[in-house]
Amino acid sequence: MFLSVFDLFKIGIGPSSSHTMGPMVAAERFLREIGEGEWPRPAGAQVARLAVSLHGSLAFTGIGHATDRAVILGLEGLTPLTVDPDKADEVLDRIRKTRRLCPPGHPEYRFDPESDLAFDRKTPLPGHANGMAFNAFDADDRLLLRRIYYSVGGGFVVSEEELQALKAEKKPAVDRNVPYPFANAREMLEMAAKSGLSIAEMKRANEETRMEGAELDAGLDRIWQAMHGCIERGLSQDGVMPGGLKVRRRARQLHEKLEEEWRQNKPNPLAANDWLSVYAMAVNEENAAGGRVVTAPTNGAAGVVPAVLRYWLRFHVDADQNGVRDFLLTAAAVGGIVKHNASISGAEVGCQGEVGSASAMAAAGLAEVLGGTPEQVENAAEIALEHHLGMTCDPVAGLVQVPCIERNALGAVKAVTAASLAVKGDGKHFVSLDAAVETMRQTGLDMNERYKETSLGGLAVNVVEC
């Protein structure tokens, strides 16, 4: 499987790539299956009503992650890229009042959100913690079509059949029709040594088998523009975030204090940490409010990569747009290794797979643009990931707010520290990135389900109890 930079960095909406973007993608995919799929259609039968059930982690934390809203919008034919966050409430209000879906190219379907969208906490689906069952009925409520989809993290969605096919393989297949088909960090370093290319150059060569260089650069620039725009929006907003926890936005106030220090030229030995933190928090506050964000590699970890990139652009005089592209390409190469050999899903492996993966990606990207060798880049990613191992996913009230927002800030700080340590060394180190990734996978398998995005353990329980 070829995992493109645009697979890992997808423009969408908050608050969750697995619980918001994924279900929206699945719903829109079910619509296409109704209209275009090869399924046995009884003579004269027409789909008249749709119904959906959410299972596992989606059932337990779906309300806090806006999964219900995402499914309804997806069944209306909208996607994470095409939905307008500012108009979503208007669409949802109409559907709740009329109890009708009007997706483009389809007839009207009956759909009552109160009775046709179920949070089934008692029946987990066997394939993955983030399972959804979509059903289409005729006018007499006879079942015509049923499809099960799984949201496997980062906005990726697979059908039940596709998931079984993936599980049947010992390892997901690597696309060998690219110049540098590395499946792990060891192969990546071997190919870099043999070719004399950087990790960004190898990733670019792979991407250019799918598109022209100018198209690739334009796409990378769009990704950064979306990230930058998210930071700017987050720095300009204040007030209480939705969901009921009454958590106030802090990024704007912190940013104003930092700008004042900057104007007065006040010495601040913690300046790097402060700027990194405010950039990351701005993104994740915007994500928590359901704004436009970029998976990096997930929404819950969306602030780390943009924060490190923005920090580099502001504080390094040689930073330029070509460097931004190299940063994103390198980060995607590392993110692909993590996803290929472990997981980026909090519901599968906890927050080590989200903020931990994001921190490793950001550290690798920064090491690349700081002039690091492939060995130093791999070392940076390993340091960042190693020091997130075992991190649980325990969002309070099922919202991507506490502790998620601050975790992104600390993930960004760790990424910069890891890159700095790595580029000051010679690339030789004791623990390999592959070992860290495998450890993360094993730790995720051993982790109790309560700590994997169910809000049944950890801070999600103890903050409420306290």
Side-chain angles (χ1 to χ4, degrees):
M1 182 181 71
F2 174 73
L3 199 62
S4 170
V5 61
F6 304 113
D7 291 325
L8 285 161
F9 297 121
K10 295 191 285 287
I11 300 173
I13 62 168
S16 172
S17 50
S18 60
H19 288 54
T20 313
M21 288 175 60
M24 190 181 296
V25 169
E28 194 272 337
R29 182 171 169 178
F30 184 62
L31 274 183
R32 284 188 282 113
E33 178 72 5
I34 291 174
E36 306 167 10
E38 303 255 338
W39 53 279
R41 303 167 190 262
Q46 301 244 342
V47 174
R49 182 174 72 89
L50 304 182
V52 185
S53 58
L54 305 173
H55 302 260
S57 178
L58 296 179
F60 283 107
T61 64
I63 296 294
H65 287 77
T67 307
D68 50 344
R69 292 165 55 90
V71 167
I72 297 169
L73 292 169
L75 290 177
E76 187 69 7
L78 296 168
T79 70
L81 184 60
T82 61
V83 65
D84 183 343
D86 295 328
K87 295 182 179 179
D89 284 339
E90 181 182 319
V91 175
L92 292 165
D93 286 343
R94 172 180 58 77
I95 294 169
R96 290 190 181 102
K97 288 176 182 176
T98 64
R99 300 176 186 175
R100 291 289 187 276
L101 295 163
C102 305
H106 290 254
E108 282 191 357
Y109 298 126
R110 297 197 332 263
F111 181 83
D112 184 351
E114 292 297 319
S115 58
D116 291 325
L117 180 55
F119 291 84
D120 186 346
R121 298 184 179 185
K122 296 181 179 179
T123 316
L125 296 178
H128 188 276
N130 294 334
M132 299 159 276
F134 289 81
N135 302 285
F137 301 88
D138 67 9
D140 295 322
D141 270 348
R142 290 177 298 188
L143 180 64
L144 298 179
L145 178 65
R146 176 179 172 85
R147 289 289 183 267
I148 292 175
Y149 299 102
Y150 296 101
S151 179
V152 295
F156 291 91
V157 171
V158 294
S159 67
E160 188 171 36
E161 295 76 18
E162 289 165 347
L163 185 65
Q164 294 307 315
L166 287 173
K167 288 185 174 182
E169 302 173 2
K170 292 184 178 179
K171 287 278 187 179
V174 177
D175 188 344
R176 298 292 171 182
N177 296 316
V178 294
Y180 305 101
F182 50 84
N184 52 50
R186 176 184 58 79
E187 292 180 356
M188 179 178 71
L189 292 179
E190 289 174 352
M191 292 178 188
K194 186 175 180 179
S195 67
L197 299 176
S198 69
I199 293 171
E201 288 169 336
M202 291 192 297
K203 182 62 175 168
R204 173 175 286 276
N206 288 347
E207 295 285 344
E208 289 181 353
T209 64
R210 303 302 199 274
M211 65 188 73
E212 296 293 330
E215 183 183 356
L216 173 61
D217 286 342
L220 292 170
D221 293 347
R222 280 194 298 272
I223 293 298
W224 170 239
Q225 287 164 9
M227 289 177 170
H228 182 268
C230 187
I231 293 174
E232 290 299 304
R233 288 193 306 275
L235 294 177
S236 67
Q237 303 295 316
D238 53 22
V240 175
M241 287 176 284
L245 285 182
K246 299 182 180 179
V247 176
R248 296 195 65 84
R249 290 183 184 244
R250 290 181 287 164
R252 177 176 177 173
Q253 183 180 12
L254 291 172
H255 183 247
E256 289 172 351
K257 290 180 179 179
L258 289 174
E259 287 286 9
E260 182 62 24
E261 286 181 357
W262 186 267
R263 286 191 293 270
Q264 295 180 8
N265 203 26
K266 287 184 177 180
N268 179 3
L270 298 177
N273 287 357
D274 290 344
W275 284 103
L276 284 163
S277 296
V278 77
Y279 291 148
M281 290 172 66
V283 171
N284 283 85
E285 287 176 358
E286 195 62 18
N287 177 63
R292 180 73 66 201
V293 295
V294 180
T295 61
T298 67
N299 281 28
V304 179
V305 168
V308 175
L309 244 177
R310 178 73 174 265
Y311 161 81
W312 173 71
L313 285 166
R314 176 158 188 163
F315 293 103
H316 289 258
V317 295
D318 56 348
D320 59 17
Q321 192 61 29
N322 286 329
V324 171
R325 296 165 186 160
D326 286 345
F327 187 113
L328 293 173
L329 288 167
T330 305
V334 168
I337 288 171
V338 176
K339 178 168 173 55
H340 184 78
N341 295 286
S343 175
I344 57 172
S345 168
E348 282 190 313
V349 297
C351 198
Q352 59 176 353
E354 297 206 29
V355 171
S357 298
S359 188
M361 291 165 64
L366 182 59
E368 176 84 13
V369 297
L370 293 178
T373 65
E375 290 77 16
Q376 290 169 325
V377 169
E378 184 261 0
N379 188 16
E382 181 279 320
I383 294 171
L385 183 59
E386 179 183 344
H387 298 290
H388 284 89
L389 291 176
M391 182 176 281
T392 60
C393 183
D394 49 356
V396 176
L399 299 169
V400 193
Q401 297 179 16
V402 180
C404 316
I405 294 170
E406 288 180 353
R407 277 187 182 166
N408 276 259
L410 273 292
V413 170
K414 286 184 181 181
V416 171
T417 303
S420 182
L421 286 172
V423 298
K424 288 179 174 63
D426 59 6
K428 297 178 181 177
H429 53 107
F430 192 78
V431 179
S432 69
L433 176 58
D434 288 333
V437 171
E438 174 59 17
T439 301
M440 184 180 80
R441 187 189 71 81
Q442 293 177 4
T443 304
L445 290 174
D446 292 340
M447 191 179 290
N448 189 289
E449 294 299 317
R450 291 182 299 152
Y451 303 107
K452 293 194 283 189
E453 212 166 356
T454 59
S455 291
L456 295 176
L459 287 174
V461 173
N462 289 309
V463 167
V464 175
E465 288 182 350
C466 292

